[in-house]
Amino acid sequence: MKFTILGCSGGIGSGRHTTCFLVDDDILVDAGSGITTLSLEQLQTIDHVFLTHSHLDHVLGLPLLLDAVGEQRRTPVVVHALPAVLDILATDLFNGRLWPDFREIPSAAAPWLRFEPLSLGESCTLGPRSFIPLPVQHVVPACAFEIRTPAGSLVFSGDTTRSEAFVAALNTIPELRHLIVETSFENALADIARDSQHHWPDSLAADLARLGPRPQVWITHLKPGNEAAIMAELRRAAPDWTLSALQQGQVIRLN
């Protein structure tokens, strides 16, 4: 499996793009502004999108993807997410006011978009890759995703703060090779992080201390301009871990 980082910033500016990952050539995990780095030909190959939650920095590319390539496709793009996330998309995004409802365009019988609800712990298998939603804690309904392959697993936290349920789920994955986990704020902004339910360095360090597996840990969703300061605080807070900032354009392979 090839996992390509199209966008991994907590914001935009100076070449930064928000969360969007490409799995092989046909699947997206989240659909932030990183989707704009794909060519039209690459966009046409996207068959499935797995969404961690409904916040705009993780979904803004989805309606634009459908608008760009829907007419060229023979089958709908399938969006997989928690039922509550799909309800938000239906009510607040694909509602005919903010954006057309592509579940009924060009017709309900042959749409460009299809929703597929996933429950926590339920596996969706596409070829050799299985996508499993894991529990996290955020201000809106949200999940992490384990991507399980014969060569091991990669987990992406999505947006979360401290979560006993998430750590417990990670501790059941013996072949956890890569953990992509967010840290959005510096310790000085811990109050904002708590209110918005994101990680700060001390909170992530506390969760890592309870983790049994020892995966490679990649840090994502760093707020623009604060990346170096957050990473420095993380390394001081969790000195026993090798922590690396995820980079746009990076490729992680499981083989």
Side-chain angles (χ1 to χ4, degrees):
M1 183 193 77
K2 181 174 68 172
F3 193 87
T4 305
I5 314 306
L6 305 180
C8 56
S9 177
I12 60 173
S14 300
R16 297 176 178 89
H17 284 292
T18 65
T19 305
C20 187
F21 307 134
L22 179 65
V23 180
D24 296 324
D25 299 312
D26 57 333
I27 298 170
L28 293 179
V29 177
D30 283 345
S33 67
I35 197 174
T36 63
T37 65
L38 295 177
S39 69
L40 188 62
E41 292 73 21
Q42 289 174 306
L43 292 172
Q44 290 173 1
T45 69
I46 303 300
D47 294 325
H48 299 268
V49 181
F50 289 82
L51 296 178
T52 59
H53 66 294
S54 60
H55 277 160
L56 196 59
D57 56 328
H58 294 254
V59 305
L60 66 87
L62 179 58
L64 301 177
L65 165 67
L66 298 165
D67 194 51
V69 303
E71 188 176 359
Q72 285 76 48
R73 295 182 52 83
R74 295 184 178 181
T75 58
V77 174
V78 181
V79 172
H80 308 262
L82 299 178
V85 175
L86 296 178
D87 287 345
I88 294 170
L89 295 181
T91 301
D92 298 329
L93 180 54
F94 296 105
N95 57 13
R97 298 181 301 277
L98 191 62
W99 203 258
D101 187 352
F102 283 122
R103 295 173 300 162
E104 298 181 353
I105 294 174
S107 71
W112 291 353
L113 170 66
R114 182 165 64 84
F115 285 172
E116 189 67 39
L118 271 179
S119 300
L120 291 175
E122 179 185 358
S123 179
C124 175
T125 298
L126 301 169
R129 308 150 301 185
S130 294
F131 295 77
I132 305 163
L134 306 178
V136 294
Q137 182 63 43
H138 197 38
V139 293
V140 294
C143 69
F145 278 108
E146 176 191 357
I147 306 174
R148 185 179 298 170
T149 77
S153 290
L154 177 150
V155 169
F156 168 49
S157 72
D159 286 6
T160 188
T161 188
R162 292 201 65 182
S163 171
E164 292 185 7
F166 182 48
V167 173
L170 294 177
N171 281 333
T172 68
I173 307 173
E175 297 300 321
L176 179 60
R177 292 181 53 189
H178 296 275
L179 172 61
I180 299 174
V181 61
E182 73 118 286
T183 307
S184 296
F185 296 99
E186 298 165 72
N187 284 328
L189 298 176
D191 286 345
I192 294 176
R194 288 188 188 95
D195 289 344
S196 57
Q197 296 193 16
H198 286 286
H199 267 306
W200 63 100
D202 285 351
S203 70
L204 180 60
D207 276 0
L208 289 176
R210 297 185 294 131
L211 194 60
R214 298 289 295 190
Q216 172 65 53
V217 178
W218 306 96
I219 306 301
T220 188
H221 212 270
L222 298 155
K223 287 300 180 184
N226 292 4
E227 296 96 339
I230 296 169
M231 289 303 303
E233 290 187 357
L234 272 169
R235 292 184 177 112
R236 288 194 295 270
D240 295 333
W241 288 83
T242 300
L243 307 173
S244 302
L246 202 64
Q247 300 293 323
Q248 186 174 312
Q250 181 179 348
V251 175
I252 298 172
R253 295 182 184 273
L254 282 172
N255 51 30

